[in-house]
């Protein structure tokens, strides 16, 4: 992978000046490359990774297995793209195995998520059944483990 | 302990076991009492006194004075160590170490250097490279023998030689030659009492590596003078521009080299304390004669962890190396912009810039940088007199932290310039 992308995956806030020094190029070159990667859709966006238990805001998250009848010619794509448009839906994957789509859904309340499943999702043409699993606690998100942080244990000076 | 000693000395003078031995004024052996205090240790005390918490401006200590990775050991390695404990692998291992680990080490060394060792009797698992070095020196050096090594160098070389009653002979290396070791300097330093050539490439603290010509010349010299070579290659897997050369792969070297490597740096496993020595059968036998009495074996769970690292840790190791490379680039560019000349380190994870232009000694520089900007770097003289005029900055820290450290360094240097103008 492009080392620039690797560095951004570590920390998307890294400034172009710092990136340039690490990559042995100029800040202008880094900015140009970033614009290109954003335009061609390689970089889809930049988001903060939050620990929900510390934001002070209640969120209800669920994983939903969806079984579908594929359409002639379109397969699952058309309906999957329609599902992906809902704001409640944070991720959609086509899966192998006993169900077809896996959704990550978020809402403010249990009622909101239940309403989404019953009224929006289950009623879509082609959707034959859904199975909703509510998330109780996160231990790792987007590659970041959520764990109590202790003070640094390393010696400040070592040979 | 101190009180008891005083009392017993007051009540009855300690009888000397050997009346012929000259008297001494302490229970401590003279060659131990004569060991100098480590410059690292002194600076550690200074940093500890300054504390690591935020100052009145809310700035925490940023330490570039560490000699270890900032990464934790990979989880699969830690998990395997736990699993080995769960399975009750808590006994001694063979003196030489677990055979599967020795076999994996032999394969790894063969892949890296092209030289193959027999896991049965040519590989010894040690408690870090530090113990490997101690074993090698004890096995190779007789009282009065000279050990030649390059300087600036790792802090333990001269003391370790002194502990085996050898004579440490340091050959200075200079930034003008990229801290490369000049084989002619080595030849000039050799006398009929020289027994061992001790090499550390990639080098802590300079980041220098061996090039082909130097490796060839040193190998020829070692053969001509019949020297044993102790190759401390703890940073071998951490080279950034091209694979590092090992003296071991030169003609005639396998017979006379004790290769010392380990898991601390490249696998981020410092606390596990696992290293290894590879050498011809009769040399490993000599090291093991000492090891069997002095250590018995390296800790078994740590050996299991090391085996896991060799079996499944390659991708993680290379990913960490790539991170160090980017940090190396950042730090050397930043130092250049700040006007601190620095030889671009080709290996290990230290930059060793010259601070001579500031007019401060390396100790003054480090102490004032710590006091005024809360950044810890190691004074260069901790690595021998020829390290004076330099400081060691470890780039085993995240890029944002390194950026903050370089920013504070810029403020510090600006402050120095203002002070000089006044």
């Amino acid at each position: 992978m492009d080392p620039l992308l690797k560095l951004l995956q570590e920390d998307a806030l890294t400034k172009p000046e710092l990136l340039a020094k690490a990559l042995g190029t100029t800040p202008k070159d880094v900015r140009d490359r970033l614009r290109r990667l954003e335009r061609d859709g390689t970089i889809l966006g930049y988001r903060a990774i939050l620990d929900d238990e510390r934001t002070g805001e209640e969120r209800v998250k669920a994983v939903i297995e969806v079984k579908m009848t594929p359409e002639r010619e379109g397969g699952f794509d058309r309906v999957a793209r329609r599902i992906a448009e809902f704001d409640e839906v944070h991720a959609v994957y086509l899966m192998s195995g006993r169900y077809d789509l896996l959704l990550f859904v978020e809402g403010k309340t249990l009622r909101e998520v239940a309403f989404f499943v019953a009224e929006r999702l289950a009623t879509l043409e082609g959707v034959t059944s859904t199975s909703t699993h509510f998330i109780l606690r996160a231990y790792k998100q987007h590659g970041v483990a959520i764990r109590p942080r202790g003070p640094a244990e390393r010696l400040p000076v070592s040979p | 302990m101190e009180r008891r000693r005083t009392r017993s000395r007051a009540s009855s003078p300690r009888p000397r076991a050997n009346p012929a031995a000259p008297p001494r004024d302490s229970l401590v052996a003279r060659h131990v009492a004569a060991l100098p205090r480590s410059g690292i240790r002194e600076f550690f005390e200074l940093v500890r006194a300054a504390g690591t918490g935020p100052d009145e401006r809310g700035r925490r200590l940023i330490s570039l004075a560490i000699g270890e990775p900032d990464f934790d050991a990979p989880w699969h390695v830690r998990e395997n160590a736990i699993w080995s404990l769960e399975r009750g692998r808590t006994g001694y291992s063979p003196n030489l170490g677990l055979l599967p680990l020795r076999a994996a080490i032999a394969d790894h060394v063969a892949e890296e250097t092209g030289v193959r060792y027999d896991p049965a009797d040519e590989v010894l698992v040690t408690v870090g490279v530090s113990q490997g070095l101690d074993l090698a020196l004890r096995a190779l050096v007789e009282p009065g023998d000279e050990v030649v090594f390059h300087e600036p160098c790792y802090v333990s070389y001269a003391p370790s030689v002194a502990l085996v009653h050898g004579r440490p002979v340091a050959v200075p290396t200079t930034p003008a030659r990229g801290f490369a070791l000049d084989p002619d300097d080595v030849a000039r330093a050799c006398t009929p009492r020289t027994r061992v050539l001790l090499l550390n490439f990639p080098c802590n603290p300079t980041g220098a590596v061996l090039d082909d010509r130097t490796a060839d010349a040193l190998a020829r010299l070692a053969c001509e003078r019949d020297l044993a070579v102790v190759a401390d290659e703890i940073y071998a897997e951490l080279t950034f521009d091209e694979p590092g050369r090992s003296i071991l792969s030169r003609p005639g070297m396998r017979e006379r080299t004790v290769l010392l490597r380990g898991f601390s740096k490249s696998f981020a496993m410092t606390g596990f304390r696992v290293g290894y020595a590879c050498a011809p059968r009769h040399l490993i036998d000599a090291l093991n004669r000492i090891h069997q009495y002095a250590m018995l074996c390296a800790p078994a769970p740590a050996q299991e962890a090391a085996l896991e690292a060799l079996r499944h840790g390659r991708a993680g190791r290379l990913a960490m190396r790539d991170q160090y490379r980017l940090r190396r680039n950042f730090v050397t560019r930043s130092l250049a912009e700040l006007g601190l000349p620095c030889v671009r380190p080709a290996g290990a994870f230290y930059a060793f810039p010259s601070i001579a232009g500031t007019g401060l000694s390396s100790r003054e520089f480090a102490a004032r940088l710590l006091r005024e900007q809360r950044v810890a770097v190691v004074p260069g003289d901790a690595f021998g007199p020829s390290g004076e005029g330099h400081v060691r900055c470890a780039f085993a820290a995240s890029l944002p932290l390194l950026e903050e450290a370089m920013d504070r360094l810029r403020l510090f240097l600006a402050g120095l310039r203002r002070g000089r103008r006044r």
Side-chain angles (χ1 to χ4, degrees):
Chain A
M1 187 161 53
D2 182 345
L4 173 59
L5 292 177
K6 263 193 195 168
L7 282 169
L8 289 175
Q9 276 207 308
E10 287 284 319
D11 181 359
L13 288 179
T14 315
K15 286 181 290 232
E17 290 73 21
L18 197 161
L19 292 168
K21 280 186 193 170
L23 297 168
T25 179
T26 61
K28 182 180 178 309
D29 176 59
V30 168
R31 281 193 206 93
D32 289 347
R33 277 160 69 185
L34 282 177
R35 260 195 298 275
R36 259 200 314 278
L37 289 162
E38 287 163 9
R39 261 202 308 266
D40 74 12
T42 307
I43 295 176
L44 291 170
Y46 307 88
R47 291 275 168 92
I49 303 166
L50 303 178
D51 181 350
D52 287 334
E53 291 182 22
R54 290 174 163 272
T55 56
E57 189 175 286
E58 288 295 326
R59 300 290 292 171
V60 175
K61 297 185 179 185
V63 183
I64 305 175
E65 302 165 5
V66 182
K67 285 188 187 168
M68 292 174 59
T69 314
E71 297 174 334
R72 181 153 183 177
E73 293 189 358
F76 298 98
D77 289 353
R78 194 183 63 88
V79 179
R81 292 213 170 92
R82 283 190 70 182
I83 291 173
E85 287 296 322
F86 287 104
D87 288 342
E88 292 88 339
V89 176
H90 284 238
V92 184
Y93 304 100
L94 179 63
M95 308 294 290
S96 68
R98 283 183 307 185
Y99 54 92
D100 304 304
L101 294 184
L102 185 67
L103 274 49
F104 286 76
V105 171
E106 278 190 45
K108 274 198 172 61
T109 61
L110 197 77
R111 182 192 291 268
E112 199 179 286
V113 175
F115 176 82
F116 169 77
V117 175
E119 297 295 321
R120 303 270 181 259
L121 185 63
T123 56
L124 279 176
E125 200 183 326
V127 170
T128 55
S129 80
T130 65
S131 173
T132 304
H133 311 272
F134 285 98
I135 291 172
L136 302 180
R137 189 168 198 193
Y139 294 95
K140 189 174 189 178
Q141 300 196 113
H142 302 281
V144 182
I146 303 165
R147 57 182 174 192
R149 283 163 205 265
E153 283 166 27
R154 277 172 217 282
L155 301 173
V157 181
S158 51
Chain B
M1 194 67 197
E2 192 60 28
R3 234 184 37 223
R4 202 181 62 198
R5 200 184 78 192
T6 316
R7 201 168 52 226
S8 73
R9 280 177 77 192
S11 56
S12 62
R14 200 169 69 92
R16 270 191 281 123
N18 176 5
R24 60 191 207 203
D25 55 6
S26 159
L27 289 178
V28 176
R30 266 166 302 197
H31 69 292
V32 175
L35 284 181
R37 238 171 103 79
S38 154
I40 293 257
R41 187 78 218 165
E42 276 178 24
F43 192 65
F44 176 77
E45 298 298 342
L46 202 65
V47 172
R48 210 175 52 169
T52 57
D55 65 0
E56 70 282 355
R57 282 193 273 167
R59 293 175 312 175
R60 292 185 165 276
L61 175 82
I62 298 180
S63 181
L64 309 184
I66 55 169
E68 64 177 332
D70 59 317
F71 301 107
D72 291 332
W75 170 245
H76 69 97
V77 168
R78 287 182 275 155
E79 202 272 344
N80 207 267
I82 296 166
W83 173 231
S84 84
L85 290 173
E86 286 183 347
R87 278 181 303 165
R89 301 276 176 97
T90 57
Y92 294 125
S93 81
N95 294 136
L96 288 177
L98 298 170
L99 185 58
L101 174 59
R102 277 142 57 199
I105 288 169
D107 288 345
H108 178 67
V109 169
E111 188 191 327
E112 290 259 318
T113 66
V115 177
R116 180 152 278 285
Y117 290 97
D118 186 345
D121 50 14
E122 294 187 317
V123 179
L124 166 66
V125 180
T126 60
V127 181
V129 165
S130 292
Q131 194 221 348
L133 178 69
D134 182 50
L135 289 176
L137 291 174
R138 284 207 259 175
L140 299 170
V141 176
E142 290 182 4
D145 283 350
E146 292 172 2
V147 176
V148 173
F149 52 87
H150 49 100
E151 197 197 84
C153 64
Y154 185 59
V155 295
S156 84
Y157 289 171
S160 298
V161 174
L163 279 174
V164 298
H165 307 281
R167 212 171 78 74
V169 179
V171 176
T173 59
T174 61
R177 296 194 67 246
F179 290 111
L181 180 55
D182 186 339
D184 293 336
D185 289 346
V186 179
R188 275 190 289 276
C190 286
T191 73
R193 288 306 306 265
T194 307
R195 296 293 305 149
V196 176
L197 175 60
L198 170 54
L199 301 174
N200 172 222
F201 295 107
C203 175
N204 172 8
T206 66
V209 297
L210 268 186
D211 60 55
D212 280 328
R213 263 191 31 219
T214 309
D216 282 334
L218 289 172
R220 270 198 306 275
L221 183 74
C223 292
E224 280 163 21
R225 305 261 180 166
D226 196 23
L227 305 179
V229 175
V230 176
D232 171 356
E233 296 188 357
I234 182 63
Y235 294 97
E237 290 95 343
L238 290 175
T239 55
F240 305 127
D241 303 315
E242 47 188 293
R245 305 286 189 277
S246 175
I247 184 102
L248 180 63
S249 34
R250 305 290 135 172
M253 283 300 100
R254 192 189 186 284
E255 303 89 281
R256 57 181 66 249
T257 300
V258 179
L259 175 73
L260 302 175
R261 288 189 175 199
F263 295 85
S264 293
K265 314 294 181 173
S266 52
F267 289 100
M269 289 172 61
T270 45
F272 283 89
R273 310 303 305 125
V274 190
Y276 50 90
C278 297
R281 192 163 297 125
H282 69 283
L283 289 181
I284 286 297
D285 181 58
L287 267 65
N288 196 29
R289 275 167 205 255
I290 304 162
H291 181 71
Q292 66 184 342
Y293 296 128
M295 192 64 70
L296 272 76
C297 65
Q303 291 191 56
E304 298 268 2
L307 178 57
E308 167 66 21
L310 277 183
R311 280 186 174 158
H312 302 116
R314 186 186 168 85
R317 170 168 69 80
L318 295 178
M320 285 191 276
R321 187 200 60 189
D322 291 348
Q323 288 272 344
Y324 291 129
R325 180 190 290 120
L326 295 168
R327 296 164 175 189
R328 186 274 311 254
N329 296 350
F330 173 74
V331 166
T332 46
R333 263 275 286 273
S334 301
L335 290 171
E337 283 177 12
L338 294 174
L340 295 181
C342 180
V343 174
R344 187 177 164 88
F349 40 61
Y350 310 104
F352 200 58
S354 165
I355 49 93
T358 63
L360 300 177
S361 73
S362 57
R363 282 185 198 211
E364 286 167 344
F365 185 96
R368 284 189 56 181
L369 179 61
L370 176 68
R371 203 168 55 232
E372 294 171 25
Q373 295 293 338
R374 305 209 18 91
V375 174
V377 296
V378 183
D381 71 336
F383 307 98
S386 52
E388 178 53 48
H390 295 79
V391 293
R392 190 190 72 176
C393 311
F395 44 84
S398 69
L399 274 173
L401 215 56
L402 288 171
E403 186 188 30
E404 169 75 22
M406 291 296 129
D407 209 44
R408 293 191 198 176
L409 185 56
R410 182 178 55 76
L411 293 172
F412 174 68
L413 292 169
L416 285 184
R417 279 194 293 273
R418 271 200 307 279
R420 272 209 303 272
R421 243 179 269 132
R422 234 176 259 139

